[in-house]
Structure formats: structure tokens, C-alpha cells
Amino acid sequence: MDSLSPQQREFLEINGYLIIKGLLDSEKIRELKHRLIEIRRHEGPRVGEYGYSKIREDLIKQNSNFRLWGFDLFYTILKFICSFLPLTRISIQSKSAYYNGQNSWKIEIRQMLIAIREQFDSKDQRICDLVNKGEVFSIFYRHPLILEAVKNVVGEEFKLSSLNIRSPKRNNNPQDMHVDWPWAVGSDESYACNALWLLDDMDESNGPTRLIPGSHKWAKIPSEGMQYLKSTHPKEIQITAKAGDVLFLNSHIWHGGTTNITGNPRAIVQSYYVHKAHPSQQVQRNQIRSNTFSYLNDEDLRVLDILGD
């Protein structure tokens, strides 16, 4: 399939979502999962962190295994202590410390506290900023069919906002019904979209995505239309699909993840796009790493909003 069919474009416009089948084959999925295992080993107890630790990276490069063990032990002890303390005052805005190239201990401790808060808040397994974690992930911001779908929703002026992976743990808390945008927009407006790439089958038992077809045109957000955001909406449906499929969402559609009852893996790579006029969740102009540049082409630089206007 080289492009979306007229029927697919119409379905996406009316319903706010589209299932595109078989964009990843089994060999590609194996390659991706192997790389994810490597990343989990590399990131250790900090896996899922929004950014990366400059000091920890230097210890890995220096092959300082004993010092790295001590460094990670300090983090684990700090996390244990923080489990008894409120972390609500840690500002997420402090994430900017990840990308300024400094490695002072003041910045490092702040990064640790942010990572600890993120791990406490999340009931899912996550790995963030896949753009900078290997060329194997480039398909998620290069695939022409997905880029065409993005243009159909957001328009020609778009950029990748973030690229992360999420897999709900067994008996995780279901997500609130939500939209991936901070405010309500007009029924004919769309500023963001999300391609959810399935690395595992998604069925009724492992936390499928629920959504309300057509709700992207309601010009309101769920908190304006539902009293309890975890409750079942009478118009919602649950999406089931196979590994290798992509669930493409207009980000203004009402949706949310459900509970993974069985604990069977349900990993999804989330490639989130926004209009260029709006801020990104992961600002690649600031955080792009030197080894990533070696495999980026001009179109990649445009999609990642690294090339200037």
C-alpha cells in the first residue's frame, strides 16, 4: 500500500481513527524488540526516563562498571527514600536540565528526582525519546503512509512531537477518558495526531484502547462531558488489532487505555505529531544527539523540526 485510499481518508475524517494493517512485519518487530531489550539493560534502573543522565552515560563510555554500580545503587536508595515523601513539588519543567550538556551533581540530583516521580506516577513500562536510541526506530517518523495520514489531519506544516513506547502492566489502572491536547478545539480543527504502532496483539484482555468514534468533532474535552472519566461511555468501542498494525488517531478524539487483565505484553510505539506552530514534547533541536545525525536525511530533519525555516 503506497497511499491511503479515498475510503480510508473519509473514514479517518468522519470517525477520527483508522486501523492500518500490517505496516510492520514479524522480522521488523523482532528487531525492534531486541533493541528495546538492549535499551532496558543500558538504562538500568533509570529505564523510562524522559531524557538521559550525562554522568551515567560518561561512566558507561569509560567502562567504569564498579562506579556505575555505585551510581545506580545511589539512585535506587534515593528512590526508596522518596517512596515515603511527597514529590508533588518537583517541576516537570525541570526536564530542560536533560539537554543542556552540563553534568553537575545539582542537575543530576534534580534529574534523578524527576525520573523517580515519573516512575511513581506511571503504571506502565515506558521507554522515551526513541529518536535518539537507534536507527531501527526511524520507520516511526519516516513511513510515507503515516506521514500522509498526518497531513490529512494536521496539514502540511507538522512535526514529530515525541516518540515513546508504552506497555501497560498487569492490572494497571485504566486511563481516564482523555484527548491528547490541552483544550477543546472547533469541530473542524485538528492540531495533533498519534500513530500507535502495535508490537503485540491488542485484544480484549490486555488493555485495549477504547475510543468514541466521531468525538473529535464534538468541540469539547471529556471533562466537559463526563462526570467520571474512568467510567464507560455509552458510545465508546474497544479497538482490537494484530501486531504490526497501526491505530492512527486524530488526537482530539476521546480515548483511553483499559486494564491489562492478563498481563500479556501489549507494547505500543507512540509517534505523536503536532502542528509546527505548537510546542513539542521532545524538542529535537535541543536534544538531538550527535550519533543520531549520521542516519538522518533532509526529510527526517524537517519532520523532527531540526532544519530551520
Side-chain angles (χ1 to χ4, degrees), residues 66-298:
F66 180 76
R67 292 174 64 195
L68 179 63
W69 174 83
F71 186 83
D72 285 344
L73 178 62
F74 175 80
Y75 174 83
T76 303
I77 294 172
L78 182 63
K79 182 178 179 180
F80 175 75
I81 294 172
C82 288
S83 67
F84 300 98
L85 302 173
L87 295 180
T88 55
R89 295 186 179 183
I90 301 175
S91 171
I92 298 302
Q93 296 301 318
S94 298
K95 288 177 180 176
S96 61
Y98 289 126
Y99 311 120
N100 60 15
Q102 300 181 34
N103 61 350
S104 73
W105 272 98
K106 179 180 179 181
I107 290 175
E108 184 63 37
I109 294 298
R110 184 171 62 176
Q111 285 185 221
M112 286 185 177
L113 291 174
I114 296 169
I116 288 168
R117 177 178 176 177
E118 290 172 344
Q119 290 179 352
F120 284 163
D121 287 347
S122 175
K123 301 300 181 183
D124 307 313
Q125 296 176 333
R126 294 181 182 272
I127 296 177
C128 298
D129 191 24
L130 297 181
V131 170
N132 286 299
K133 295 182 179 176
E135 187 175 7
V136 66
F137 301 114
S138 63
I139 188 173
F140 300 121
Y141 52 84
R142 282 180 181 167
H143 200 289
L145 203 61
I146 297 302
L147 296 183
E148 181 186 348
V150 174
K151 292 176 184 178
N152 273 267
V153 173
V154 178
E156 294 287 338
E157 294 296 312
F158 68 89
K159 60 185 174 183
L160 183 75
S161 177
S162 60
L163 186 61
N164 306 318
I165 187 168
R166 169 183 176 265
S167 182
K169 301 175 184 177
R170 184 175 184 177
N171 293 326
N172 63 304
N173 293 328
Q175 290 181 329
D176 289 351
M177 187 70 81
H178 66 281
V179 297
D180 295 329
W181 197 249
W183 58 78
V185 301
S187 60
D188 60 346
E189 296 178 307
S190 295
Y191 298 113
C193 54
N194 209 341
L196 309 181
W197 303 70
L198 278 62
L199 303 188
D200 301 293
D201 292 351
M202 184 166 68
D203 57 37
E204 295 87 350
S205 67
N206 66 351
T209 299
R210 60 177 179 141
L211 57 81
I212 304 175
S215 56
H216 62 302
K217 294 183 175 294
W218 288 357
K220 58 184 177 181
I221 57 178
S223 60
E224 298 171 331
M226 294 177 66
Q227 185 175 6
Y228 302 107
L229 297 179
K230 283 185 170 59
S231 63
T232 300
H233 192 281
K235 294 185 177 181
E236 77 176 47
I237 62 172
Q238 289 191 350
I239 300 296
T240 59
K242 295 293 186 181
D245 295 347
V246 174
L247 171 59
F248 190 87
L249 300 177
N250 181 313
S251 289
H252 305 289
I253 195 173
W254 295 20
H255 67 284
T258 59
T259 300
N260 186 343
I261 299 170
T262 61
N264 292 333
R266 201 222 69 183
I268 287 180
V269 175
Q270 303 166 317
S271 50
Y272 178 58
Y273 295 86
V274 298
H275 190 278
K276 274 195 172 184
H278 296 277
S280 299
Q281 293 176 340
Q282 295 162 5
V283 184
Q284 293 301 334
R285 290 193 186 197
N286 297 337
Q287 68 196 68
I288 195 74
R289 303 179 74 173
S290 57
N291 60 320
T292 306
F293 269 111
S294 64
Y295 52 79
L296 297 181
N297 58 43
D298 286 347

Side-chain angles (χ1 to χ4, degrees), residues 52-70:
Y52 69 96
S53 163
K54 181 70 165 57
I55 293 178
R56 193 175 188 281
E57 288 286 308
D58 288 343
L59 291 175
I60 292 173
K61 290 177 183 178
Q62 296 163 13
N63 200 26
S64 302
N65 292 332
F66 180 76
R67 292 174 64 195
L68 179 63
W69 174 83

